[in-house]
Amino acid sequence: MYMLACGVVFFPGLFFISRKVLESAFKNWNDADVFVVSERLMSSIHATLATIVGFIIATASNDVMSDRHRLTNEFVWFGTPYVAFDLYAMYLSNYHSQKVKGHEAYREHSLLTIKLFLLRHPLLVVHHMVLLMVFMPITLFLRTGLGGDFFIGCFFMAEFSTPFVSLGKVLIQLGLEDSWLHRVNGVMVLLSFFTCRILLFPYMYWVYGQQYTIPFHKVPFHLQLHCNLANLSILAPQIYWFVLLCRKAYRLYLRQTGSMGQPAHKDGSKTD
């Protein structure tokens, strides 16, 4: 419970302090800029901590099915308040982003603005709710006598891509979407997301097969059906989000190569 209390204080406090610092440092930013960047900063710090903890847990596991690590439950307790508060922070970011655009429904907080947020980000909301209502209870209360901390550590490391995704959003907020830093970060987003959120699953199956001397292609048939279905349900949205990232990267590539390839007009301006 001590780690739960730490999380309750740390993440909302980090979000509040970030807002105050950004409001003071960037006086030309509107509320949407401040809330979006604050939420992204909070997510990046949580993701960095999760990656470090996950690496420690996974590399310390000799038996992938039975080994336990004390950091596992402690970090789940610590991170649970983040998952809950991040939903609220995402709602605030969405609310202020729509409000500055002048949408009538966003004059003040209401059940309608909550409904619109849920409709706008259904997968993210479901993702957070599954973590709170499925992953957290299973990890903390339903593993009596069981290990498997190696796999939980791997899932923690899936957060490795989050800081790069967040940095991309921040660079756009700063008007640096055409900078070399944004392009390099875009490559890191695709590489880290593909490696830690998609290749992660065949890697876990491979490690399991190595321990029990099972050929990789036969590993799914040695696992219970609900294990395979659970992994598939987690993998599916990751593939969907990766496809969206690839499409976005491709559109950005076309826009940048198109602008570089077009000759300048006689008045010195360039085509869009």
Side-chain angles (χ1 to χ4, degrees):
M1 296 303 291
Y2 171 75
M3 295 304 294
L4 178 66
C6 288
V8 168
V9 173
F10 180 75
F11 292 108
L14 176 63
F15 183 74
F16 176 79
I17 292 172
S18 299
R19 281 174 47 204
K20 294 302 180 183
V21 171
L22 291 173
E23 287 172 354
S24 299
F26 301 95
K27 297 187 181 298
N28 60 322
W29 280 15
N30 55 39
D31 287 341
D33 296 328
V34 171
F35 276 89
V36 168
V37 174
S38 297
E39 191 270 330
R40 290 291 176 174
L41 177 62
M42 181 183 67
S43 297
S44 296
I45 291 178
H46 170 266
T48 301
L49 294 174
T51 302
I52 295 172
V53 170
F55 180 79
I56 293 172
I57 295 170
T59 54
S61 299
N62 294 316
D63 189 310
V64 299
M65 292 302 295
S66 62
D67 280 359
R68 299 292 295 267
H69 199 291
R70 65 180 185 86
L71 280 178
T72 304
N73 283 12
E74 289 182 0
F75 190 77
V76 171
W77 279 118
F78 179 69
T80 296
Y82 159 77
V83 177
F85 186 78
D86 191 46
L87 270 176
Y88 176 63
M90 288 193 303
Y91 162 75
L92 290 177
S93 299
N94 179 76
Y95 173 82
H96 288 286
S97 296
Q98 299 304 315
K99 186 175 182 179
V100 298
K101 294 177 182 178
H103 294 298
E104 290 292 326
Y106 291 88
R107 289 184 175 181
E108 60 183 16
H109 296 285
S110 65
L111 291 176
L112 177 59
T113 59
I114 296 175
K115 177 182 177 181
L116 292 173
F117 166 70
L118 297 176
L119 292 174
R120 187 178 179 86
H121 302 285
L123 270 182
L124 283 175
V125 173
V126 170
H127 171 71
H128 281 64
M129 295 306 297
V130 168
L131 289 176
L132 285 173
M133 301 177 68
V134 179
F135 177 77
M136 188 272 284
I138 290 176
T139 303
L140 295 176
F141 308 118
L142 302 179
R143 291 193 305 139
T144 306
L146 299 177
D149 285 21
F150 167 80
F151 300 105
I152 297 175
C154 288
F155 284 127
F156 285 164
M157 287 192 291
E159 291 294 323
F160 179 69
S161 62
T162 299
F164 298 108
V165 175
S166 297
L167 178 58
K169 297 288 185 180
V170 172
L171 292 174
I172 292 174
Q173 293 291 125
L174 295 173
L176 298 175
E177 60 267 28
D178 292 324
S179 66
W180 66 268
L181 180 58
H182 188 260
R183 290 193 288 271
V184 172
N185 184 71
V187 174
M188 289 303 301
V189 167
L190 295 178
L191 290 177
S192 61
F193 200 98
F194 182 72
T195 301
C196 295
R197 296 204 176 213
I198 296 178
L199 287 185
L200 172 71
F201 290 88
Y203 170 72
M204 291 191 295
Y205 277 60
W206 176 78
V207 172
Y208 179 90
Q210 289 293 301
Q211 178 161 320
Y212 294 101
T213 61
I214 302 171
F216 173 73
H217 66 281
K218 293 184 178 180
V219 170
F221 303 103
H222 284 76
L223 298 175
Q224 295 183 357
L225 179 61
H226 69 269
C227 293
N228 290 313
L229 291 177
N231 285 327
L232 184 61
S233 66
I234 298 172
L235 177 61
Q238 310 306 323
I239 294 176
Y240 171 74
W241 284 323
F242 182 70
V243 170
L244 293 183
L245 288 173
C246 289
R247 288 178 177 175
K248 182 178 179 180
Y250 182 64
R251 288 196 301 268
L252 180 63
Y253 171 77
L254 291 179
R255 181 165 68 92
Q256 292 179 344
T257 55
S259 63
M260 289 187 294
Q262 291 287 344
H265 291 296
K266 292 182 179 180
D267 60 1
S269 63
K270 294 182 178 180
T271 57
D272 192 358

